[in-house]
Amino acid sequence: MQTLVIPLLPRFPALLGSSPGDTTWVITSTLLASAVATPVVGRLGDMYGKRRMLLVSLLMLVAGSVIAALSYSLVPLVVGRVVQGLAVGVIPLGISIMRDELPLERLAGATALMSASLGVGGALGLPAAAFLVEQSDWHMLFWTSAAAGVLVLVAVLVVVPESPVRGGGRFDVLGALGLSVALVCLLLGVSKASTWSGATTAGLFVAAAVVLGLWGWWELRSPQPLVDLRTTARRQVLLTNIASAVFAFAMFAQSLVLPQILQLPVSTGHGLGQSLLVTGLVLVPSGLVMMATAPVSARISNARGPRVTLVLGALVVALGYGAGVFMLTAVWQLVVVSAVIGAGIGLGYGAMPALIMGAVPTSETAAANSLNTLMRAIGTSVSSAVAGVVLTQVGVPFSFQLIMGLGAATALLAVVIAAFIPSARPVS
């Protein structure tokens, strides 16, 4: 769902009768909705049942897809994308159900694959969307996602049991509202920094800081907080979340550089003149490699601990970006670069749930994994904003090389942060 509309972005102004600036809300709205929904759905899952909230999330996915499929103007499409964004909590909910249901010997591999699916879906969604756009009406993107959502919904009803593990308590409405306001201000400021005025952006960041401070004060005093900040402040959880945000920053940089290089005309001297479909296909090996390395991530975590796996994954990502600084002139080079980065993502994303679940009680699994997913989303948002500034302010091809260098540097920063995560016992 996150990459579904990327092939359509250049066409949306004509298709929807809107300005290019306004059509960016098709992506921004989903980002904001998912940021707000992820921690809330995680907490509700711990309280009232993870399978129940998984079904609610999938219903949101189907409903949002249908609304978008019936849209012919910007406003209803943005509404549909907002409703789709409310479904992003399926990833941490799925990981949490696995912790409750699976035997230890299967848990590491299953959670690694589920976590890596955040990257796999993005890599495979782009070529699928490009194919549908070139072969049919753009509304088929959303009818297809609605159909897929219905299939998954039925599969969950038939196969997935309801977890008996419940946290109970009352839902922290004020905490949810406070965190939502803070996240919206923060992510709006990040995503619109290059297009809105400096005063507006600064105001959003100040508002985010003030509301986040008040929210933290409330959560520490609430008997049943939305996010248990004392648990979150544990060294293993805190450093894992920080490393996740930095790691996600590095992960997303390639998604902004490689498609541009592939689609720029050859006459520019910096592009490869490839079609939208070929551009998507170049990223397919990255998704397949992520899927293949997820079980490897689990085996390394079982043998050496998830901290080692996260460090190794970040090092591989740094290697891929380092190669990317010098390998941007041929299609095969971009395939190699994206595949190496994908291998690192598969290793690193597979280790994150194990680190989180090794430090929180079972009754807080969904909320803790949701917060980790949120930190990754913040990392990708900041990456997108920084890359956008570099692309507009620095001349081609140096902007491409600079972004790849930034990806390598942030991946190495994730290595340093992950090295300070306390050693945890292997999952099995």
Side-chain angles (χ1 to χ4, degrees):
M1 295 305 101
Q2 290 172 328
T3 59
L4 189 70
V5 298
I6 289 179
L8 279 169
L9 277 180
R11 306 184 190 184
F12 270 144
L15 292 171
L16 302 174
S18 299
S19 68
D22 287 341
T23 55
T24 60
W25 283 101
V26 175
I27 288 182
T28 303
S29 60
T30 308
L31 168 70
L32 297 177
S34 63
V36 170
T38 300
V40 172
V41 169
R43 176 61 179 148
L44 289 173
D46 283 332
M47 292 174 61
Y48 302 117
K50 303 177 184 72
R51 178 178 180 269
R52 180 178 299 175
M53 294 312 302
L54 185 63
L55 292 170
V56 169
S57 297
L58 290 169
L59 285 172
M60 292 296 100
L61 171 61
V62 174
S65 299
V66 171
I67 293 170
L70 295 172
S71 301
Y72 287 87
S73 59
L74 181 62
V75 172
L77 180 58
V78 169
V79 171
R81 290 287 289 170
V82 167
V83 179
Q84 280 187 324
L86 300 178
V88 174
V90 296
I91 301 294
L93 286 171
I95 292 172
S96 303
I97 290 173
M98 290 175 182
R99 183 186 190 186
D100 296 341
E101 298 296 333
L102 294 180
L104 283 178
E105 63 272 14
R106 294 181 58 196
L107 180 59
T111 57
L113 185 58
M114 185 74 175
S115 182
S117 68
L118 280 167
V120 174
L124 300 183
L126 189 59
F131 176 78
L132 284 173
V133 167
E134 291 189 349
Q135 300 298 320
S136 63
D137 180 74
W138 65 272
H139 293 89
M140 281 303 298
L141 290 177
F142 298 105
W143 286 122
T144 302
S145 64
V150 170
L151 290 175
V152 176
L153 186 67
V154 172
V156 170
L157 285 170
V158 173
V159 176
V160 179
E162 180 59 270
S163 169
V165 180
R166 302 285 178 88
R170 297 179 60 184
F171 183 70
D172 181 11
V173 176
L174 190 58
L177 289 173
L179 182 59
S180 299
V181 170
L183 288 173
V184 167
C185 290
L186 173 64
L187 294 176
L188 264 183
V190 168
S191 61
K192 298 295 183 179
S194 60
T195 55
W196 287 0
S197 69
T200 301
T201 303
L204 286 170
F205 287 143
V206 170
V210 171
V211 175
L212 201 59
L214 292 172
W215 173 79
W217 175 85
W218 168 259
E219 293 296 280
L220 288 172
R221 285 156 181 77
S222 175
Q224 296 173 333
L226 176 74
V227 177
D228 189 339
L229 292 181
R230 292 177 177 84
T231 299
T232 305
R234 292 175 185 170
R235 186 177 171 188
Q236 182 167 329
V237 179
L238 179 63
L239 291 179
T240 299
N241 283 332
I242 294 173
S244 298
V246 175
F247 194 95
F249 181 103
M251 179 205 79
F252 198 66
Q254 65 160 335
S255 302
L256 301 168
V257 172
L258 302 190
Q260 292 205 42
I261 296 174
L262 286 161
Q263 293 183 71
L264 277 175
V266 176
S267 59
T268 62
H270 314 299
L272 301 177
Q274 300 297 318
S275 68
L276 187 62
L277 181 57
V278 171
T279 299
L281 291 174
V282 167
L283 300 178
V284 168
S286 176
L288 298 177
V289 170
M290 287 181 210
M291 194 178 298
T293 53
V296 178
S297 171
R299 286 196 289 271
I300 297 173
S301 294
N302 282 338
R304 304 295 300 273
R307 180 184 66 171
V308 173
T309 313
L310 181 56
V311 169
L312 180 60
L315 283 172
V316 173
V317 169
L319 175 64
Y321 276 111
V325 174
F326 309 100
M327 296 174 60
L328 298 175
T329 57
V331 171
W332 72 266
Q333 292 178 354
L334 301 190
V335 171
V336 171
V337 167
S338 65
V340 173
I341 294 172
I345 293 169
L347 291 171
Y349 268 24
M352 292 171 190
L355 286 165
I356 294 295
M357 290 187 294
V360 301
T362 306
S363 60
E364 298 178 17
T365 303
N369 276 315
S370 295
L371 185 61
N372 183 253
T373 302
L374 175 62
M375 295 300 292
R376 301 189 217 180
I378 291 173
T380 57
S381 302
V382 175
S383 176
S384 177
V386 171
V389 171
V390 172
L391 288 171
T392 56
Q393 299 298 321
V394 181
V396 175
F398 302 109
S399 59
F400 297 147
Q401 294 170 329
L402 179 57
I403 292 173
M404 299 302 277
L406 285 173
T410 51
L412 290 175
L413 177 58
V415 170
V416 174
I417 296 170
F420 287 95
I421 297 174
S423 298
R425 294 179 63 185
V427 174
S428 63

